Amino acid sequence: FNFGQWISGLGSVGAGLYGFFNRLLIPTGLHHALNSVFWFDTVGINDIGNFLASEGEQGLTGRYQAGFFPIMMFGLPGAALAMYHTAKTEYRKAAASVLLATAFTAFLTGVTEPLEFSFMFLAPLLYVVHALLTGFSMFIAASFEWTAGFSFSAGAIDYVLSYFNPIASQPYMLIVQGLVFFAIYYFLFR
């Protein structure tokens, strides 16, 4: 409880820290414990409940969700494309089948674990960079108050559903941010 209050009091920096630690906890599955602090009404934030009910505050509610959209819809697919381009020729067809499926899943639904698990143990430093970039994405979206929420994860389905929510704030900027993160991920993973 104290951790949630402390990090939410940090504003945009807190959103960035949350994004960073969220990704670091993926290998253990404990990111769901961290999510409950920010997405549900455990410390008064309730990003999911307030966003779905349109009872939140524009530019604030969704702060702990919006920065995930550029990473899940664009950044990780950019990483998958880089992994495909760097695969050895004899393995490129097999790599394409796995990477295309996982990139599409990340983009459409926001389920990123299959793609993240494809590199987290082979390139742990690159995974830490991914966690840092997620934190940075969360920080940027929260700083500019670009917000959109989700009920499941930060994929295209939830993005479209939240786009027209009255408390969404400049959600189109998350696409612009996502295109930048696509390029960053592509070149870093390449």
Side-chain angles (χ1 to χ4, degrees):
F1 182 77
N2 291 335
F3 171 75
Q5 288 184 323
W6 171 75
I7 206 165
S8 67
L10 295 176
S12 300
V13 172
L17 288 172
Y18 160 63
F20 172 70
F21 288 116
N22 175 280
R23 293 295 96 179
L24 280 186
L25 291 172
I26 287 277
T28 64
L30 291 174
H31 63 294
H32 290 295
L34 187 60
N35 291 344
S36 67
V37 172
F38 299 96
W39 295 354
F40 307 109
D41 199 12
T42 58
V43 295
I45 298 171
N46 199 16
D47 252 10
I48 287 181
N50 286 338
F51 207 91
L52 293 177
S54 299
E55 296 172 358
E57 183 179 329
Q58 189 175 37
L60 181 61
T61 303
R63 168 180 280 177
Y64 300 101
Q65 297 178 325
F68 283 120
F69 285 104
I71 299 300
M72 295 180 179
M73 290 174 57
F74 297 97
L76 285 169
L81 182 61
M83 288 188 270
Y84 168 73
H85 283 155
T86 57
K88 292 182 180 180
T89 308
E90 62 267 23
Y91 300 117
R92 198 165 275 171
K93 211 179 237 188
S97 65
V98 171
L99 294 170
L100 178 64
T102 57
F104 181 72
T105 301
F107 176 81
L108 185 66
T109 67
V111 174
T112 59
E113 288 85 351
L115 187 49
E116 289 166 322
F117 274 89
S118 73
F119 69 90
M120 74 173 52
F121 297 114
L122 295 173
L125 290 178
L126 196 54
Y127 190 78
V128 172
V129 169
H130 162 57
L132 287 168
L133 287 171
T134 302
F136 189 54
S137 177
M138 299 287 285
F139 170 77
I140 290 169
S143 294
F144 287 103
E145 297 184 352
W146 301 333
T147 56
F150 51 79
S151 60
F152 175 69
S153 191
I157 294 170
D158 272 307
Y159 179 80
V160 169
L161 292 174
S162 73
Y163 191 89
F164 298 103
N165 190 309
I167 62 170
S169 178
Q170 303 178 42
Y172 55 88
M173 290 305 295
L174 297 171
I175 299 294
V176 174
Q177 181 180 337
L179 293 172
V180 171
F181 272 86
F182 179 91
I184 291 170
Y185 269 75
Y186 178 81
F187 288 110
L188 280 176
F189 274 70
R190 181 103 189 188

